């Protein structure tokens, strides 16, 4: 690559879409993002307009392309990442028949619970590596067939939002192994669609996209955006993977022998593995980047969505998340504890009907106390998942923490004091976009280094003891409220 070229990572997230340009050395050049609107409802729906997602993806690429052009640079490669578990039904003209169901859509909960309770559920999970839960497209499809039979019957194909965007850019229906792994329809050992899962969902393999390697590419010059992008000669677009798998790649989790705990809209604790591994008790996921390259993990709904909902909706302070987090660092919460389950919960509870609670509220507590308790609840849940994942990960000797939440020094200090293993803090770069850029760079002969990490802050013994006490009380509280 020449000095006047760069690599772009595009991430189709649940709450935002981001395009980031990097130098061949991995340094950030430009970043653009746009907020995605999600429609929610009391029935558990959490949906997005597929065409809005395409429009926003094109817009952020346009904006970052403008930044790149003004720097006198050209794009050598583009890599794509996306949130998992979305589902769109398309008619024979490839037009959406419905809004896209996101991972948060809880309407298929009854279908998922019935499947898991059957003999088939654990067998499908063992082969596909996808936890049986409302988030999984295999359950969404079965629910759609039951509850919206007219839409289901009209559908020519079923795709994720990432596939929908890729098709808009390149006119082909393809899916990478990581995104396919997250459907519950894909055998992670054979790396092909699973016949029994297809039968349960009521779909045929020809209604799904063709699965291609993660480094599958198309010339960027052939994309529908080619005329608007400053392109280097033989610039390539790489299909990439899912956000979680690519964030694990970006962290260098395998090489560093560490877990990766990422707090974004959701939360997950992940580990790299050379073989597919599942655990029926914890219902960890196992997603494939390719043969011999797997990511194991425990997903949770109790991430940043809790803080966003609390500050913007319950406390009525939209746009004040950062000031509220800063204020929360200056208060103590006494015996106030928060169960951060406003969106139900996945691992290790696996209960779509789980709800949030603040227990111990007194007259002297204000908004900052509630926010601090919510942050502690997220960290307590992270600790719980780290404990569980240490038993599955082979040789993990620490945990890397990633996400904007840890940019608050007091939160990073709490996390370091709470975790049962040494803590490292990942750089503030976006792991999903960087991982997508790493794959894209490799396609054009550039090996971007893993993201930088620094040792976490040292915690005093008294702080550790207090947090251990509060964590034990929090775990006891969950047990009591669940009955």
């Amino acid at each position: 690559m020449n000095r006047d070229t760069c690599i772009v990572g595009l991430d189709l997230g649940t709450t935002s879409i981001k395009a980031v340009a990097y130098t061949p050395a991995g340094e950030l050049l430009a970043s653009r993002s746009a907020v995605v609107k999600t429609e929610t409802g009391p029935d558990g729906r959490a949906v997005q307009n597929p065409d809005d997602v395409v429009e926003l993806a094109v817009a952020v690429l346009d904006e970052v392309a403008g930044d790149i052009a003004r720097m006198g640079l050209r794009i050598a490669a583009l890599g794509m990442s996306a949130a998992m578990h979305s589902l769109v039904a398309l008619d024979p003209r490839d037009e959406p028949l419905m809004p896209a169901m996101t991972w948060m859509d809880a309407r298929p909960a009854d279908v998922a619970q019935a499947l898991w309770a059957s003999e088939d559920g654990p067998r499908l999970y063992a082969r596909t590596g996808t936890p049986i839960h409302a988030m999984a497209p295999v359950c969404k499809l079965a629910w759609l067939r039951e509850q919206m039979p007219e839409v289901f019957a009209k559908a020519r194909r079923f795709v994720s939002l990432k596939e929908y965007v890729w098709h808009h850019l390149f006119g082909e229906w393809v899916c990478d192994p990581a995104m396919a792994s997250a459907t519950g329809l894909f055998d992670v050992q054979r790396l092909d669609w699973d016949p029994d899962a297809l039968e349960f969902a009521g779909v045929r393999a020809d209604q799904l996209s063709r699965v291609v390697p993660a480094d599958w590419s198309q010339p960027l010059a052939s994309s529908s955006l080619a005329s608007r992008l400053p392109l280097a000669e033989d610039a390539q677009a790489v299909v990439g993977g899912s956000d979680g798998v690519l964030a694990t790649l970006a962290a260098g989790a395998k090489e560093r022998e560490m877990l990766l705990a990422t707090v974004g809209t959701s939360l997950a604790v992940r580990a790299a593995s050379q073989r597919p591994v599942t655990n029926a008790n914890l219902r960890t996921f196992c997603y494939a980047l390719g043969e011999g390259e797997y990511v194991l993990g425990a997903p949770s709904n109790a991430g940043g969505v809790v803080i966003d909902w609390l500050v913007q909706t319950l406390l009525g302070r939209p746009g004040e998340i950062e000031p509220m987090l800063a204020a929360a660092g200056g208060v103590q919460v006494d015996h106030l504890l928060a169960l951060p389950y406003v969106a139900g919960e996945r691992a290790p509870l696996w209960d779509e009907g789980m709800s949030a609670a603040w227990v111990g509220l007194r007259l002297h507590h204000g908004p900052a106390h509630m926010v601090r308790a919510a942050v502690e609840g997220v960290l307590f849940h992270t600790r719980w998942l780290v404990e569980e994942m240490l038993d599955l990960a082979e040789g993990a000797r620490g945990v890397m923490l990633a996400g904007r939440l840890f940019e608050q020094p007091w939160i990073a200090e709490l996390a370091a004091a709470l975790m049962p293993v040494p803590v490292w803090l990942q750089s503030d770069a976006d792991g999903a976009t960087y991982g997508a850029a790493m794959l894209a760079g490799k396609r054009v002969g550039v090996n971007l280094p893993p993201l930088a990490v620094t040792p976490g802050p040292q915690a005093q013994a008294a702080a550790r003891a207090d947090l251990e006490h509060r964590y034990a009380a929090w775990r006891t509280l969950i047990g009591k409220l669940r009955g």
Side-chain angles (χ1 to χ4, degrees):
M1 285 179 61
N2 299 323
R3 293 182 179 179
D4 63 348
T5 57
C6 64
I7 301 167
V8 175
L10 173 67
D11 179 49
L12 310 175
T14 305
T15 56
S16 67
I17 293 176
K18 181 181 290 187
V20 184
Y22 302 95
T23 70
E27 300 163 333
L28 188 146
L29 287 168
S31 177
R32 294 286 185 152
S33 64
V35 175
V36 185
K37 181 181 178 181
T38 301
E39 177 193 339
T40 60
D43 61 351
R45 75 179 62 232
V47 299
Q48 296 177 346
N49 185 321
D51 291 319
D52 286 351
V53 172
V54 169
E55 183 178 332
L56 291 173
V58 169
V60 296
L61 282 174
D62 265 344
E63 291 171 0
V64 86
D67 296 335
I68 292 167
R70 284 187 287 275
M71 297 176 193
L73 303 176
R74 295 175 296 159
I75 300 172
L78 166 71
M80 283 187 65
S81 163
M84 296 172 282
H85 312 303
S86 60
L87 178 71
V88 190
L90 303 177
D91 68 15
R93 298 175 300 170
D94 291 330
E95 297 291 336
L97 289 164
M98 56 181 280
M101 300 173 73
T102 69
W103 65 266
M104 291 186 290
D105 201 308
R107 288 176 291 176
D110 290 344
V111 171
Q113 290 166 9
L115 176 58
W116 184 245
S118 72
E119 293 182 355
D120 292 333
R123 293 171 184 168
L124 286 180
Y125 163 65
R127 290 199 304 276
T128 67
T130 304
I132 304 298
H133 181 267
M135 67 180 184
V138 65
C139 297
K140 288 183 169 78
L141 286 165
W143 175 87
L144 192 65
R145 182 174 55 172
E146 291 178 3
Q147 301 297 322
M148 302 175 69
E150 292 184 1
V151 170
F152 191 87
K154 291 178 181 177
R156 167 62 186 90
R157 68 179 75 250
F158 299 95
V159 300
S160 69
L161 284 168
K162 181 183 180 184
E163 292 157 69
Y164 191 67
V165 172
W166 183 272
H167 180 265
H168 175 82
L169 295 176
F170 297 102
E172 64 174 355
W173 292 110
V174 296
C175 181
D176 62 82
M179 293 297 291
S181 296
T183 63
L185 300 163
F186 188 74
D187 188 322
V188 291
Q189 299 190 45
R190 295 190 305 108
L191 298 182
D192 198 2
W193 299 118
D194 184 272
D196 290 341
L198 297 179
E199 182 178 356
F200 173 81
V203 299
R204 306 181 309 274
D206 64 10
Q207 290 179 287
L208 306 176
S209 296
R210 178 166 55 102
V211 180
V212 297
D215 61 357
W216 175 267
S217 67
Q218 290 288 358
L220 264 171
S222 69
S223 78
S224 59
L225 293 182
S227 63
R228 293 141 70 175
L229 303 177
L231 299 179
E233 185 178 356
D234 198 29
Q236 298 291 309
V238 175
V239 71
S242 64
D243 52 2
V245 167
L246 292 178
T248 308
L249 175 70
K254 180 171 67 174
E255 293 80 6
R256 288 167 168 158
E257 298 180 327
M258 291 191 191
L259 300 177
L260 172 66
T262 306
V263 180
T265 302
S266 58
L267 157 67
V269 178
R270 306 182 183 92
S273 176
Q274 294 181 338
R275 59 189 179 90
V277 178
T278 56
N279 181 290
N281 291 325
L282 185 58
R283 273 192 267 178
T284 48
F285 59 72
C286 175
Y287 300 144
L289 181 62
E291 188 173 356
E293 295 181 281
Y294 298 89
V295 171
L296 318 178
S300 164
N301 294 3
V305 66
V306 181
I307 312 300
D308 291 349
W309 170 83
L310 175 61
V311 174
Q312 299 187 67
T313 303
L314 187 63
L315 299 178
R317 300 192 179 187
E320 296 186 31
I321 292 175
E322 296 302 323
M324 287 298 298
L325 283 174
V331 300
Q332 296 299 319
V333 289
D334 308 317
H335 300 293
L336 180 63
L337 295 170
L339 306 187
Y341 305 124
V342 292
E345 187 49 297
R346 291 179 285 176
L349 300 169
W350 295 105
D351 184 353
E352 292 92 342
M354 194 76 181
S355 56
W358 275 253
V359 179
L361 280 167
R362 302 294 299 274
L363 287 173
H364 68 279
H365 289 140
H369 298 88
M370 293 189 70
V371 172
R372 185 180 180 105
V375 169
E376 287 191 3
V378 171
L379 295 181
F380 289 155
H381 197 90
T382 305
R383 157 73 179 266
W384 191 0
L385 295 184
V386 167
E387 289 175 336
E388 298 285 356
M389 284 298 298
L390 284 171
D391 292 335
L392 293 180
E394 299 175 354
R397 57 187 179 85
V399 57
M400 294 178 283
L401 303 178
R404 291 192 62 187
L405 202 64
F406 301 112
E407 293 176 15
Q408 292 282 341
W410 70 270
I411 297 178
E413 291 170 9
L414 276 182
L418 185 61
M419 294 303 137
V421 288
V423 163
W424 296 73
L425 297 176
Q426 195 179 90
S427 68
D428 60 1
D430 184 276
T433 58
Y434 192 81
M438 287 177 74
L439 272 183
K442 191 174 181 179
R443 176 65 180 78
V444 294
V446 175
N447 292 314
L448 273 69
L451 290 171
V453 294
T454 57
Q458 296 297 312
Q460 297 180 352
R464 285 187 178 275
D466 179 64
L467 279 172
E468 286 294 331
H469 176 75
R470 289 179 56 73
Y471 174 62
W474 182 84
R475 288 288 300 270
T476 299
L477 181 61
I478 288 178
K480 288 181 177 179
L481 291 184
R482 294 194 78 209

